[in-house]
Amino acid sequence: MSSNRIAIVLSENEIEIKNLAAQMHVWIAGTKSNVKVVKALWKSSLPSQLTQTYFDISSDSSKEEQCIGAIDQVDAHHCTAFGTESWSEIQVHGTPLTQRLSNEFEMFGNVAIKRTDYGFTVHRQSQT
């Protein structure tokens, strides 16, 4: 379990969300189904240092647009400005890597992006 690993979840998969929430911070697309899962997680006995957050999405937005909307929020909340170690890994679940998403993550500098079965993972060297 690491406090500098984050998952952005764009799919509606309750089991996957629960598994990720037990290991890392999760930011979940705020669909009706996902909001219910997040609210249930808030009442569960997950490690207190890990957070589960849902973010608003437009019903007509693509998964790519949803991810882009979440990136800055994730970076703002998981940075050294809050006295914690900045994120070192973001797992994106529920959308494939596109050139546009790659460009968005590359703006953080010194990142390595790898395609996965669930979407892709972005690794960044420590910013502390």
Side-chain angles (χ1 to χ4, degrees):
M1 172 175 39
S2 174
S3 62
N4 61 350
R5 293 176 57 220
I6 293 102
I8 297 174
V9 182
L10 305 167
S11 56
E12 293 180 318
N13 183 326
E14 182 176 353
I15 294 169
E16 178 182 44
I17 292 169
K18 287 179 176 180
N19 287 338
L20 290 167
Q23 302 172 47
M24 63 187 75
H25 300 285
V26 290
W27 286 71
I28 303 150
T31 65
K32 191 173 187 175
S33 171
N34 283 350
V35 169
K36 287 180 185 178
V37 173
V38 172
K39 288 182 177 182
L41 287 171
W42 291 344
K43 296 176 184 175
S44 70
S45 60
L46 289 171
S48 61
Q49 71 271 27
L50 298 179
T51 57
Q52 306 82 43
T53 306
Y54 63 87
F55 56 93
D56 292 330
I57 59 169
S58 171
S59 60
D60 62 346
S61 62
S62 69
K63 299 291 186 191
E64 180 186 62
E65 292 167 331
Q66 292 171 16
C67 185
I68 289 169
I71 293 170
D72 287 336
Q73 293 179 66
V74 167
D75 187 61
H77 284 85
H78 298 280
C79 68
T80 57
F82 290 107
T84 60
E85 189 176 355
S86 291
W87 65 267
S88 63
E89 176 184 308
I90 295 179
Q91 295 182 9
V92 178
H93 294 252
T95 194
L97 179 63
T98 64
Q99 187 60 52
R100 185 173 174 201
L101 288 170
S102 182
N103 292 344
E104 290 288 327
F105 280 105
E106 287 172 356
M107 286 195 280
F108 292 109
N110 203 18
V111 297
I113 304 172
K114 180 182 176 186
R115 294 175 197 273
T116 64
D117 290 340
Y118 55 76
F120 60 97
T121 300
V122 181
H123 291 278
R124 170 172 84 170
Q125 288 194 357
S126 177
Q127 302 292 305
T128 57

